[in-house]
Amino acid sequence: MKCSKCMNTAIVSQNYSGMHFCANHEISDITLKAKKEIRKSGGLASGEKIFVKGDDNFQTFALRIFLSELFLNRTDILFVKSEDEAEIIFDSDTLDDVSVRLFKKVCDGTVDEISRPLKKTVSPLSVIPKDEVLWYAKYHGWKKDCTEIHDSVTEFLADFQKERPSTLYALKNVSDELERRIK
């Protein structure tokens, strides 16, 4: 299969978009989506203190790589060591994480528990499927095993989106709208 942009060999196929990308164009696509999500949240002002929230997992690794490349030439952004010091918190949630969390709240009848975070929180990877974030992390040197969490909701959504590839994006849009209404 060929890349939809340059005709090199595709390494990623996006069922939800119908696009196929080589490594360079997949990185460009991930970067473009993540930057857009940062802008959508209001962007960053000069001098802001940011904290990268996450565990020792591939999502956090990928987020740190993305942010280090994004802020490489910016000396006005300060990374801090704790959430308490931060003005903006960067979270490593992926599209799958946001979608599964919302779907569980709907099924549990706890959508009303969605609350506004105390500090501005930005999740640049929340518009990128987990498998693409994993590919990005591996491309940038992630070597650890990635254990999949298989619960009934994750399995249901995986099966459901076989025929409806944009399901996770639809759930993300609903989640964004609910959060907007809370603010």
Side-chain angles (χ1 to χ4, degrees):
M1 194 170 305
K2 299 290 184 190
C3 176
S4 300
K5 300 274 185 173
C6 70
M7 302 308 289
N8 285 332
T9 301
I11 49 92
V12 172
S13 293
Q14 298 178 342
N15 293 337
Y16 57 89
S17 72
M19 302 292 281
H20 311 284
F21 291 129
C22 65
N24 288 337
H25 285 109
E26 175 64 7
I27 289 170
S28 295
D29 188 62
I30 288 171
T31 302
L32 180 72
K33 289 175 184 173
K35 284 180 177 180
K36 185 177 179 181
E37 191 66 11
I38 292 171
R39 284 191 304 274
K40 184 176 150 189
S41 74
L44 295 171
S46 181
E48 288 197 286
K49 297 175 185 174
I50 63 174
F51 175 76
V52 179
K53 180 179 175 180
D55 298 321
D56 185 24
N57 57 32
F58 72 87
Q59 295 103 305
T60 304
F61 178 82
L63 178 60
R64 288 187 173 140
I65 294 293
F66 167 74
L67 292 175
S68 67
E69 291 176 359
L70 181 64
F71 299 138
L72 183 63
N73 295 320
R74 286 194 65 176
T75 57
D76 62 332
I77 299 295
L78 179 63
F79 286 88
V80 294
K81 295 183 179 186
S82 75
E83 286 187 48
D84 294 336
E85 301 173 70
E87 296 165 318
I88 299 177
I89 298 168
F90 277 84
D91 192 301
S92 61
D93 282 348
T94 66
L95 177 64
D96 300 59
D97 299 325
V98 172
S99 301
V100 166
R101 187 169 42 250
L102 174 67
F103 196 77
K104 283 181 179 180
K105 287 186 181 293
V106 169
C107 292
D108 292 342
T110 57
V111 174
D112 57 335
E113 292 178 6
I114 294 174
S115 61
R116 183 175 43 164
L118 298 175
K119 291 190 177 185
K120 180 179 176 182
T121 302
V122 181
S123 302
L125 304 179
S126 68
V127 290
I128 303 162
K130 187 173 277 190
D131 60 339
E132 291 181 45
V133 173
L134 175 58
W135 176 88
Y136 183 85
K138 286 181 176 180
Y139 181 84
H140 285 92
W142 180 260
K143 302 273 190 242
K144 297 180 185 176
D145 287 335
C146 304
T147 54
E148 290 283 328
I149 298 174
H150 293 286
D151 61 14
S152 57
V153 171
T154 305
E155 289 176 10
F156 171 80
L157 287 174
D159 192 46
F160 190 78
Q161 66 180 334
K162 287 177 185 171
E163 292 187 33
R164 299 161 195 86
S166 62
T167 298
L168 299 183
Y169 282 98
L171 288 169
K172 166 77 166 108
N173 291 339
V174 170
S175 179
D176 287 352
E177 180 61 21
L178 288 171
E179 286 181 15
R180 187 190 66 75
R181 289 180 184 210
I182 289 169
K183 293 178 183 180

